[in-house]
Amino acid sequence: MKAKATHRQPSLFVEIFKGLGANKLTLALLVVILASSLSVVQVTHLARQQLIEQDKLLQERDELDLEWRYLLVEEEFYSQHARIEEVATMQLEMKRPTSQDEQVVVLQ
């Protein structure tokens, strides 16, 4: 009988690490590539966070702008009422009636 030779296939990871250990430039480039790829991931994450924050701030700005417009309309409304009352008292010499000036009319 023939004796079977046990031939074990080398592990891929072991061969890769042996090759990296033999060539220092390749190992250095691998480290630089890994560092730069992690940096890209980190910068992308930070950029997305900044965009989300910008969207929130733009939405808040729009809400504040809308509230400001409503306040301007309200101010205009109240200023017109005050102006009418001022003209009535100063130019037309009108005044609010007192309780003695009021008359009750009963309808039947």
Side-chain angles (χ1 to χ4, degrees), residues 2-8:
K2 275 186 170 179
K4 282 188 175 180
T6 57
H7 186 273
R8 187 166 176 235

Side-chain angles (χ1 to χ4, degrees), residues 17-90:
F17 287 124
K18 282 182 187 177
L20 289 175
N23 191 345
K24 302 296 183 203
L25 178 62
T26 306
L27 182 61
L29 289 176
L30 179 65
V31 170
V32 169
I33 288 171
L34 287 175
S36 66
S37 63
L38 290 175
S39 298
V40 167
V41 169
Q42 181 67 22
V43 168
T44 303
H45 177 68
L46 292 174
R48 286 182 182 165
Q49 283 182 333
Q50 292 295 319
L51 284 174
I52 291 170
E53 182 67 23
Q54 181 185 16
D55 286 343
K56 287 179 184 177
L57 290 173
L58 287 174
Q59 184 178 3
E60 183 180 350
R61 182 198 66 182
D62 291 343
E63 290 171 1
L64 289 172
D65 185 51
L66 186 61
E67 183 180 352
W68 179 70
R69 289 172 191 254
Y70 284 137
L71 288 173
L72 283 178
V73 169
E74 187 176 353
E75 179 187 34
E76 181 68 25
F77 171 76
Y78 286 126
S79 67
Q80 287 176 357
H81 180 72
R83 176 78 178 127
I84 291 171
E85 190 171 349
E86 180 186 345
V87 168
T89 55
M90 297 297 198

